[in-house]
């Protein structure tokens, strides 16, 4: 029945599937190894370079087209405030998602899903430039991972978009 709904519907369902998968993976602050590994596996086919820095942040980058455009930094955090309860179920009704027990964890797993989808979609775009991705750790306990990112990774960035809890924080350099 998905095929009858068309391409956009299928893309939306695939995004929701990815988000639901991310919402089932533990990753409270300081315990991000499982979610970091899943994100690494999901983004690797869509980037040129990926590494984990000394603090545990996942850093990736990709040059698109001829690479003669801006360098954009996209960032989301991997951790949750509290641990995601094992064996919880996610209910979806009228566009609202809830967890049967404990936290849903959508802050900031939705941002992670958006960055993964962006990496996938940029592969077929006309964008020419570089995109750097940061999936930081320990954001919920004081931006610890973000504060520890090696400065070299952000050199040359022209614009930054941080996706977190329904907020989009943008910074542009001229």
């Amino acid at each position: 029945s998905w095929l009858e709904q068309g391409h956009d519907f299928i893309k939306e369902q695939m995004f929701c599937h990815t988000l639901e998968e991310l919402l089932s993976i533990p990753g409270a602050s300081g315990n991000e190894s499982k979610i970091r590994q899943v994100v690494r596996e999901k983004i690797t086919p869509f980037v040129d370079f990926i590494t984990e820095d000394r603090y545990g942040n996942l850093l990736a980058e990709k040059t698109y087209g001829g690479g003669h455009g801006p360098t954009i930094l996209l960032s989301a955090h991997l951790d949750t405030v509290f641990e995601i309860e094992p064996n919880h179920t996610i209910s979806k009704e009228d566009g609202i998602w809830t967890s049967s027990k404990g936290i849903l964890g959508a802050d900031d797993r939705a941002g992670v899903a958006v960055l993964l989808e962006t990496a996938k979609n940029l592969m077929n775009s006309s964008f020419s430039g570089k995109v750097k991705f940061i999936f930081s750790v320990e954001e919920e306990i004081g931006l610890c991972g973000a504060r520890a990112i090696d400065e070299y990774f952000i050199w040359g960035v022209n614009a930054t978009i941080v996706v977190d809890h329904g907020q989009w924080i943008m910074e542009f350099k001229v």
Side-chain angles (χ1 to χ4, degrees):
S1 67
W2 281 18
L3 291 176
E4 296 168 2
Q5 300 291 325
H7 184 260
D8 290 342
F9 177 81
I10 294 169
K11 284 180 68 174
E12 181 181 334
Q13 295 307 307
M14 296 303 291
F15 175 81
C16 289
H17 175 77
T18 298
L19 177 55
E20 190 166 350
E21 178 185 358
L22 295 174
L23 293 172
S24 69
I25 302 167
S29 293
N31 187 33
E32 296 96 340
S33 62
K34 288 180 183 174
I35 185 67
R36 181 177 40 244
Q37 183 58 37
V38 169
V39 171
R40 175 189 285 270
E41 290 168 8
K42 288 188 174 301
I43 200 166
T44 294
F46 307 108
V47 296
D48 300 327
F49 167 80
I50 189 163
T51 191
E52 181 181 324
D53 70 11
R54 69 188 187 294
Y55 202 81
N57 299 300
L58 196 58
L59 311 174
E61 64 181 58
K62 172 75 176 165
T63 300
Y64 298 92
H68 300 293
T71 298
I72 311 296
L73 173 65
L74 303 176
S75 179
H77 64 89
L78 297 171
D79 61 319
T80 56
V81 177
F82 303 106
E83 197 58 83
I84 293 173
E85 293 284 336
N87 304 317
H88 76 284
T89 57
I90 297 172
S91 299
K92 301 170 212 148
E93 190 171 321
D94 296 327
I96 298 173
W97 293 26
T98 57
S99 175
S100 62
K101 58 182 176 178
I103 65 165
L104 180 61
D107 170 24
D108 187 36
R109 300 297 170 82
V112 171
V114 166
L115 267 56
L116 292 172
E117 189 70 13
T118 300
K120 208 181 308 182
N121 288 328
L122 279 169
M123 297 296 293
N124 299 315
S125 75
S126 61
F127 177 70
S128 181
K130 183 181 283 190
V131 178
K132 295 183 177 192
F133 299 89
I134 296 177
F135 298 94
S136 62
V137 296
E138 296 184 2
E139 186 274 348
E140 297 292 355
I141 56 173
L143 302 169
C144 299
R147 293 177 197 276
I149 292 170
D150 285 331
E151 204 173 291
Y152 80 88
F153 191 73
I154 57 175
W155 289 342
V157 169
N158 301 107
T160 303
I161 301 172
V162 179
V163 184
D164 185 10
H165 191 53
Q167 301 173 13
W168 295 68
I169 303 163
M170 294 189 238
E171 175 183 311
F172 299 94
K173 293 181 182 176
V174 280

